[in-house]
């Protein structure tokens, strides 16, 4: 098993904590592989990273999440700030350009990183970026997300997560039929209905709304030297993040590449949302090596 070395990068507004598996600078023919998510922290890649022992793998906790304690007094999570943090991290690693596997909100951050610092990234695999603006029903998607936030504000995390799961599981565009549904019962998803009074969840509060509100710039992205691959899970078909993936790929003049499993396809059983991490790693390796 590869040893994990933990470091802290102190930059304006945050002490950014990151983990390194493998040597720096990297040995062999492979670039350093950066794995990022949002609001997921480094621990979410615990089942995927061990499949890349031939590469140096770096994971991190985004600003204000997990171990990366903020000192800027803010609570919002924006792709612009996170991309600036990642640029600082790539510079600190002194191993650029890097390859990046980015999932969910992390994929949005990675697209902003390529747009603003294209020299940092050789290959980006952006897995299911949740971007409303690329959808034909963008306004309805925003309304559906607002409903999750309202449920969270009214009744707490269980109600908010139940609404979020119902939203992200919905097939196709958000029609009148979606909005006519009764509020889902948290117990349907094994969630507690108790309200602990907190309202700072990075997923359910509006702290991360800048992620889904992001508007990618196709001109800058297609002009970048970075090879960009938009990935979508085969089990995600028809859902919100599958639709945003296909639409983002179309915006960039390409087709999305299909990966095993679902939105959390690289997660292990310990996460509670087990995917197929071994199969996922095999596909990711193929894509990073140029086969897509």
């Amino acid at each position: 098993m590869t040893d994990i070395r933990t470091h802290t990068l102190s930059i304006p507004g945050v002490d950014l904590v990151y983990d390194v598996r493998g040597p720096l600078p990297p040995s062999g023919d492979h670039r350093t592989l950066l794995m990022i998510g949002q609001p997921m922290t480094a621990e979410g890649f615990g089942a995927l990273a061990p499949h890349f022992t031939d590469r140096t793998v770096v994971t991190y906790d985004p600003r204000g999440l997990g171990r990366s304690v903020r000192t800027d007094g803010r609570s919002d999570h924006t792709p612009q700030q996170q991309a600036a943090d990642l640029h600082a991290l790539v510079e600190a690693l002194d191993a650029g350009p890097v390859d990046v596997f980015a999932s969910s909100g992390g994929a949005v951050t990675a697209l902003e990183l390529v747009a603003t610092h294209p020299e940092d990234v050789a290959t980006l695999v952006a897995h299911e970026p949740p971007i409303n603006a690329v959808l034909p029903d963008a306004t309805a998607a925003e309304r559906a997300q607002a409903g999750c936030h309202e449920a969270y504000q009214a009744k707490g995390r269980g109600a908010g997560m139940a609404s979020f799961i119902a939203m992200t599981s919905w097939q196709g565009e958000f029609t009148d039929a979606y909005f006519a549904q009764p509020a889902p019962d948290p117990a349907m998803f094994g969630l507690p209905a108790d309200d602990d009074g907190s309202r700072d969840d990075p997923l359910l509060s509006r702290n991360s709304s800048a992620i889904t509100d992001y508007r990618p710039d196709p001109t800058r992205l297609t002009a970048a030297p970075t090879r960009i691959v938009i990935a979508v899970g085969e089990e995600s078909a028809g859902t919100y993040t599958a639709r945003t993936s296909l639409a983002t790929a179309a915006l960039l003049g390409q087709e999305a590449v299909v990966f095993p499993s679902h939105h959390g396809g690289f997660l292990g059983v310990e996460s509670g949302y087990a995917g197929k991490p071994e199969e996922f790693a095999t596909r990711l390796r193929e894509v990073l090596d140029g086969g897509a």
Side-chain angles (χ1 to χ4, degrees), residues 71-95:
T71 58
D72 59 5
R74 302 182 61 137
S75 60
D76 58 329
H77 306 286
T78 72
Q80 293 79 13
Q81 181 61 73
Q82 292 182 0
D85 291 347
L86 285 173
H87 173 61
L89 177 57
V90 171
E91 284 195 325
L93 294 172
D94 194 24

Side-chain angles (χ1 to χ4, degrees), residues 74-164:
R74 302 182 61 137
S75 60
D76 58 329
H77 306 286
T78 72
Q80 293 79 13
Q81 181 61 73
Q82 292 182 0
D85 291 347
L86 285 173
H87 173 61
L89 177 57
V90 171
E91 284 195 325
L93 294 172
D94 194 24
V98 299
D99 289 339
V100 178
F101 169 69
S103 186
S104 195
V108 180
T109 295
L111 289 170
E112 175 65 10
L113 176 63
V114 170
T116 53
H117 298 285
E119 71 283 355
D120 284 355
V121 184
T123 294
L124 164 62
V125 180
H127 181 248
E128 300 203 1
I131 302 172
N132 289 333
V134 299
L135 294 175
D137 58 327
T139 300
E142 292 169 3
R143 179 185 170 193
Q145 289 175 340
C148 299
H149 173 72
E150 290 163 6
Y152 175 56
Q153 289 296 322
K155 297 183 178 179
R157 190 175 189 279
M161 276 303 299
S163 180
F164 179 78

Side-chain angles (χ1 to χ4, degrees), residues 14-276:
V14 67
D15 291 326
L16 205 68
V17 178
Y18 63 99
D19 303 312
V20 179
R21 297 168 169 85
L24 278 175
S27 60
D29 298 327
H30 296 300
R31 288 179 286 268
T32 296
L33 174 58
L34 181 60
M35 296 182 175
I36 64 174
Q38 205 283 331
M40 188 181 71
T41 56
E43 64 183 1
F45 296 103
L48 180 63
H51 291 285
F52 291 88
T53 54
D54 59 330
R55 301 171 187 249
T56 297
V57 176
V58 177
T59 55
Y60 91 125
D61 290 356
R63 175 179 294 239
L65 298 171
R67 302 162 296 173
S68 292
V69 179
R70 300 183 82 141
T71 58
D72 59 5
R74 302 182 61 137
S75 60
D76 58 329
H77 306 286
T78 72
Q80 293 79 13
Q81 181 61 73
Q82 292 182 0
D85 291 347
L86 285 173
H87 173 61
L89 177 57
V90 171
E91 284 195 325
L93 294 172
D94 194 24
V98 299
D99 289 339
V100 178
F101 169 69
S103 186
S104 195
V108 180
T109 295
L111 289 170
E112 175 65 10
L113 176 63
V114 170
T116 53
H117 298 285
E119 71 283 355
D120 284 355
V121 184
T123 294
L124 164 62
V125 180
H127 181 248
E128 300 203 1
I131 302 172
N132 289 333
V134 299
L135 294 175
D137 58 327
T139 300
E142 292 169 3
R143 179 185 170 193
Q145 289 175 340
C148 299
H149 173 72
E150 290 163 6
Y152 175 56
Q153 289 296 322
K155 297 183 178 179
R157 190 175 189 279
M161 276 303 299
S163 180
F164 179 78
I165 293 171
M167 177 206 151
T168 54
S169 301
W170 181 258
Q171 288 285 310
E173 296 189 9
F174 294 106
T175 61
D176 290 344
Y178 172 81
F179 296 106
Q181 297 179 108
D185 182 354
M188 294 169 52
F189 307 105
L191 297 167
D194 297 341
D195 184 355
D196 64 6
S198 65
R199 294 295 185 272
D200 57 356
D201 186 283
L203 182 65
L204 300 173
S205 69
R206 293 199 183 277
N207 290 344
S208 299
S209 60
I211 299 291
T212 52
D213 289 345
Y214 182 71
R215 292 181 176 272
D217 186 333
T219 301
R220 286 198 296 175
L221 291 171
T222 54
T226 306
R227 173 176 169 251
I228 302 174
V229 177
I230 306 298
V232 62
E234 61 183 348
E235 296 174 23
S236 300
T239 65
Y240 166 71
T241 51
R243 295 194 301 118
T244 60
S245 301
L246 298 177
T248 301
L251 183 71
L252 301 181
Q254 58 179 262
E255 294 185 1
V257 175
V258 178
F259 270 60
S261 197
H262 45 65
H263 189 66
F266 52 89
L267 296 173
V269 293
E270 70 285 346
S271 69
Y273 300 95
K276 300 175 181 177

